[in-house]
Amino acid sequence: MVPARRLVYWPGALALATGLVLAAYWFGARNADDNIHVTGERQLQIIALDLEAVLDRFDTLPYSIAHLPMASQLLESPVHSGLQVAFNETLKDLALQAKVAAIYLMDKNGKTIAASNWDTPQSYMGYNFAFRPYFRDAIQGQPGYFYAIGNTTSIPGYFISQPVYPVGAKRGSVAPIGVIAVKITLESFEQTWRSNEDPIALADSHGVVFLSNRSEWNYHSLRTLEPQVQRDIEQTLQYMGKKIQPIAQLPKAARAGFGEYVARPVGRLGWQLMLFPAQAKVLRAGMQSAGVMLLLLLVAAAAAGVHYQRSRRMEERSAAQQALKQAADDLDLKIELRTQELLSANAQLAAKYDKLQQTENLLRTTRNEMVQAGKLAMLGQMAAGITHELNQPLTAIRAFADNASTYLSRGQTTQADANLRHISAASARMGNIVGQLKGFARKSPEAVAVVKVNQAIQDAALLLDSEFVRHGVQLQLHLPHSYHVLGDTVRIEQVLINLLRNALDAVEQAPEKTVRVVLEADTQQVRIRILDSGSGLPQEVVKHLFEPFFTTKATGHGLGLGLAISSSIVQAMNGHLEARNNPDCGAEFVVTIPRCKEETA
């Protein structure tokens, strides 16, 4: 229970804390306001110096052009077309060199008789500007300055004018005969100001903003204008007849940032350059000061509460230690139970893993036996053709041997030698066939090696050559380049023989009996395409082709394991086997195997 006297102190302490926070906010906001005003004045000083430097730089340009004899001569002879063309070109060149918007010459009535933009769609030629104040000042012998929206181009600019006197006449001794004017655009300042997050505005002597990084403020006033001022602006067409409304009447989003500002006079026309510092900075600074004060008060309150908490902490520590001991005992019990569960689970997992290893070994052994059985089955199917292949060399050897004996008995050693050479060639051919059969029939040690794909295709074709000849099927090999893969040569040959025999069966009843083997490769893979001219694969058969014991052949002509074994062999070499129908005719089987990295490198 909190003592009653302690409750009496709370309202006073709360009131004191509130007062300190408010005072901190006020001092922080005031200091920030002073800082941003000082910073704003410095920024304005830099901007004003830059703006005045540009205005002063062009101040002497119309004065210099007014002294050109060609200007006075054209004013005295305005119908002289050759002189007018020459002066137009001169003004155009001067405008390009000085980088001003336009330079133009007006007669004493205000009509433009020469202009730098004479050859543009917005030419001033023929326009009368006698209503502009800068013309009225110059025709009276004084330099003229004016800012307005061009009533020809609709582009705002700063106009500087000077009177033009007759050739040889002293300035001011006679009445001017014309006026030369220069138009300067100030858009570059507006674009530069856009990088400043605070609003910047340039207003005329009436308080009308005509240049700002807030485009919504342009041609709006700082305050409500007097009717006479509105009429004067309309008569000079300074802002193209725009109705000047105060910025305060703009929508909230458009007038954002309008409020207190820092100002500085600029130029000869009573302009005001203004910067509107963001009041959010003042609010943020006040809030930061108040936050710091509040944090200090909270720290003080926390320090005051520490003493009270220390007295209770000793009591709580004893209770906490007892609770911690109980929690530790409970945790030890849970850990022991969980450890027993994990040990049991690990034992079960080890048993399952051993069983999985046994199953995998059995599967690998079964797969290898199936592969070997498939090879032996193929050898059985090729037996008749191989017998024919061996019978031909044997018959030739017997005939050549008889002939050689006869030639030797007659003493014709040259003919006998030729027959013996034929016997040697036939024996070599028989050795190649038998060697290929022995290599194909042996069990593969599953050793991964570099396989020459071209050679494997040729060896498989050699084993089936007699079959193709016997059935009258044309075998075409397209082997443009030599490619290498990592795998087992015998197993690749087994896959190729199986696919070639299937192709041989597919064209048995076809009018055109052709089987093509196309070898292709890219930087990553080697593809062996086996195409036949048969009737193709039924759509319902394609999705079951690689399933074990699925076959479309008659009973007794196959177990349906050939394609399943072939797919398994290709997958073991990180490749894949796919079947599809060729758009031209027949079926197409594609063996894809990764290419050797050393070869691609």
Side-chain angles (χ1 to χ4, degrees), residues 4 20 52 59 91 93 107 154 189 220 228 272 316 374 383 404 564 587:
L20 290 173
E52 287 179 341
D59 199 25
L91 294 181
D93 185 55
D107 62 18
S154 299
F189 288 95
H220 288 77
Q228 182 60 42
Q272 267 197 321
E316 294 173 353

Side-chain angles (χ1 to χ4, degrees), residues 179-323:
V179 173
I180 192 76
V182 175
K183 180 181 179 181
I184 307 163
T185 61
L186 303 179
E187 292 180 351
S188 60
F189 288 95
E190 190 173 61
Q191 295 173 359
T192 303
W193 297 347
R194 292 190 190 281
S195 61
N196 198 313
E197 62 179 7
D198 294 330
I200 301 174
L202 187 61
D204 62 17
S205 58
H206 301 302
V208 178
V209 175
F210 60 86
L211 200 67
S212 175
N213 59 353
R214 299 292 190 271
S215 58
E216 301 88 351
W217 294 11
N218 286 337
Y219 313 118
H220 288 77
S221 59
L222 301 175
R223 55 193 171 274
T224 303
L225 299 180
E226 297 293 334
Q228 182 60 42
V229 175
Q230 288 274 20
R231 286 194 292 271
D232 291 344
I233 293 174
E234 292 174 359
Q235 288 175 0
T236 60
L237 295 178
Q238 184 175 6
Y239 300 120
M240 290 293 290
K242 294 180 181 292
K243 186 69 174 177
I244 308 300
Q245 299 290 341
I247 296 176
Q249 294 183 6
L250 289 172
K252 184 176 180 180
R255 68 173 186 271
F258 182 72
E260 277 190 55
Y261 60 86
V262 183
R264 184 182 181 89
V266 176
R268 303 171 181 271
L269 299 177
W271 293 350
Q272 267 197 321
L273 182 63
M274 296 168 289
L275 177 76
F276 296 78
Q279 295 302 308
K281 296 179 181 178
V282 177
L283 178 62
R284 187 163 54 247
M287 294 298 294
Q288 287 175 349
S289 298
V292 171
M293 178 56 70
L294 181 61
L295 181 61
L296 292 175
L297 292 173
L298 290 175
V299 170
V306 167
H307 178 70
Y308 174 74
Q309 293 295 330
R310 284 178 64 87
S311 61
R312 300 197 55 185
R313 190 175 301 165
M314 300 303 295
E315 299 175 1
E316 294 173 353
R317 182 179 299 174
S318 177
Q321 288 177 346
Q322 185 64 30

